[in-house]
Amino acid sequence: MQSALKLNAAALETRGVYCWLPDPKFGNFSRALSNRFRNPKTRLRPLERRSFDSLDQAVEWSMASWDDLARQVSARKPRLTVLSSETLFGVADTDSVLDALRAIFDRVTVLVYVRDPAEFYKSTLDQSIRGGMRLANLPLPGEFAPPTRQMLQAYHERLDRQDLIVRNFDRSNLAGGDVVTDFFEQIERVAGHPVDAPLLPPRENESLPAAATVWLLSLPEAFVRFKDAADGEEAKARLNLINRLRKSPVLAGLPKLKLDDPQLLALVRQNSRATIEFVNATFFADQIPLAPVPASAEVVDPAAQRLRLFEWFMSQAPETLLKQVVGEAMKPLPAASA
């Protein structure tokens, strides 16, 4: 969605819709706005350590981003401003977020795309592994509980009904079967007038092939996920390797992670029962609902869950595919031109 907004920014502005994006000097970080509300006890993530030497710097950048947003809106005076920042939704202090937005805008509408908990869990595993998390620390399916319900409940209580739009992030539910098309349809709904069909950016999946994800999971024993910023170069090298594997033509056709283990699926959905039931009842009366919780409520101890998770990972990475991944990871880089 961020790529689509950037691609369509000029056309949207002619329609009175301003798309604010953070300073590209630090990358198009999703945390440009949310870092303002960061707990001072948290550590810089590997991606952030490429650009910042301390958490204070990351927070200062966020405050500067908010100042820039306020200046741009004041100068441009658009009828509608669109912000795309999924991590802003994850800030627990919703009152502070809304206060900050209302200091700039007359009205705030929150648009949320809700994933099936099992898909959310798979995506969390994928991102956690790219961020350097070890198998022993990955969230277990029976304990995985994203704060979706709590956050939606908070905004549901603080916003007028028309100012909280919740969509099921399922292709069969989305307008045109595509999230960008659906997103622009929601922009039209809020703006109250057509904004034209969007130019669609090239499709790009941030996730690695399943075999590359499993291979990467074997590396964190030699990588400390949360260190001080002194390892910025190490973090940068790791992320460069990940991007090289993600963009490798040799690996392009390999399958992605697929959460097809029925026990893992059941455990995630059972632990997300409150979220599934709340979202379906409150927001999805006229949409395709989230998949229901299985009737059986099997109890599985954590050690067995960890083993099952390990076995599922290994099933996703047969030896032939792992060899391709290792071959690409070890391939010498082209010599730099003089």
Side-chain angles (χ1 to χ4, degrees), residues 172-232:
S172 59
N173 185 71
L174 301 173
D178 175 78
V179 69
V180 172
T181 302
D182 193 273
F183 181 47
F184 274 69
E185 187 173 281
Q186 303 310 314
I187 292 175
E188 287 189 347
R189 173 182 167 183
V190 177
H193 59 76
V195 296
D196 297 332
L199 297 173
L200 298 179
R203 293 190 179 276
E204 185 175 11
N205 193 328
E206 288 294 321
S207 63
L208 289 164
T213 299
V214 175
W215 177 75
L216 196 66
L217 184 57
S218 69
L219 303 185
E221 300 306 322
F223 177 79
V224 179
R225 187 173 181 231
F226 290 117
K227 290 175 67 175
D228 58 34
D231 77 334

Side-chain angles (χ1 to χ4, degrees), residues 39-55:
N39 185 325
K41 294 182 180 179
T42 58
R43 309 282 297 276
L44 283 175
R45 293 167 175 81
L47 183 64
E48 294 174 305
R49 296 202 296 268
R50 296 187 309 175
S51 302
F52 303 112
D53 295 328
S54 67
L55 180 61

Side-chain angles (χ1 to χ4, degrees), residues 114 149 152-153 156 161 164 166 168 272-293:
V114 176
R149 181 180 62 84
L152 284 174
Q153 183 93 47
H156 186 58
R161 183 174 181 178
L164 177 59
V166 183
N168 184 353
S272 299
R273 178 186 298 275
T275 295
I276 292 172
E277 293 177 350
F278 171 74
V279 171
N280 283 345
T282 309
F283 303 108
F284 291 169
D286 59 349
Q287 296 184 53
I288 294 172
L290 297 177
V293 179

Side-chain angles (χ1 to χ4, degrees), residues 105-297:
F105 304 104
D106 297 327
R107 177 180 172 188
V108 176
T109 300
V110 176
L111 168 61
V112 182
Y113 285 93
V114 176
R115 277 185 165 182
D116 178 279
E119 282 297 308
F120 196 169
Y121 178 62
K122 184 190 72 174
S123 176
T124 298
L125 292 177
D126 196 342
Q127 293 182 48
S128 297
I129 292 168
R130 292 205 306 269
M133 190 178 286
R134 295 175 171 84
L135 174 65
N137 303 122
L138 289 174
L140 291 173
E143 300 172 357
F144 179 71
T148 306
R149 181 180 62 84
Q150 295 92 320
M151 303 308 300
L152 284 174
Q153 183 93 47
Y155 282 109
H156 186 58
E157 293 171 354
R158 289 162 175 77
L159 295 172
D160 292 337
R161 183 174 181 178
Q162 71 271 18
D163 290 333
L164 177 59
I165 304 169
V166 183
R167 304 283 294 158
N168 184 353
F169 189 68
D170 182 306
R171 286 191 184 280
S172 59
N173 185 71
L174 301 173
D178 175 78
V179 69
V180 172
T181 302
D182 193 273
F183 181 47
F184 274 69
E185 187 173 281
Q186 303 310 314
I187 292 175
E188 287 189 347
R189 173 182 167 183
V190 177
H193 59 76
V195 296
D196 297 332
L199 297 173
L200 298 179
R203 293 190 179 276
E204 185 175 11
N205 193 328
E206 288 294 321
S207 63
L208 289 164
T213 299
V214 175
W215 177 75
L216 196 66
L217 184 57
S218 69
L219 303 185
E221 300 306 322
F223 177 79
V224 179
R225 187 173 181 231
F226 290 117
K227 290 175 67 175
D228 58 34
D231 77 334
E233 290 303 313
E234 180 186 352
K236 187 182 298 184
R238 176 185 171 86
L239 291 162
N240 286 343
L241 169 63
I242 291 171
N243 284 331
R244 187 153 54 86
L245 294 177
R246 187 168 58 80
K247 296 177 180 180
S248 164
V250 175
L251 306 181
L254 300 190
K256 307 286 187 177
L257 283 178
K258 183 178 181 181
L259 192 55
D260 50 7
D261 184 296
Q263 185 184 68
L264 298 181
L265 281 167
L267 287 168
V268 173
R269 290 205 172 103
Q270 286 164 12
N271 204 51
S272 299
R273 178 186 298 275
T275 295
I276 292 172
E277 293 177 350
F278 171 74
V279 171
N280 283 345
T282 309
F283 303 108
F284 291 169
D286 59 349
Q287 296 184 53
I288 294 172
L290 297 177
V293 179
S296 60

Side-chain angles (χ1 to χ4, degrees), residues 293-322:
V293 179
S296 60
E298 184 180 6
V299 177
V300 183
D301 70 82
Q305 287 187 51
R306 189 75 63 191
L307 178 59
R308 185 80 174 223
L309 192 60
F310 168 76
E311 291 171 344
W312 169 71
F313 274 125
M314 297 310 296
S315 74
Q316 301 283 299
E319 183 180 354
T320 53
L321 300 188
L322 278 175

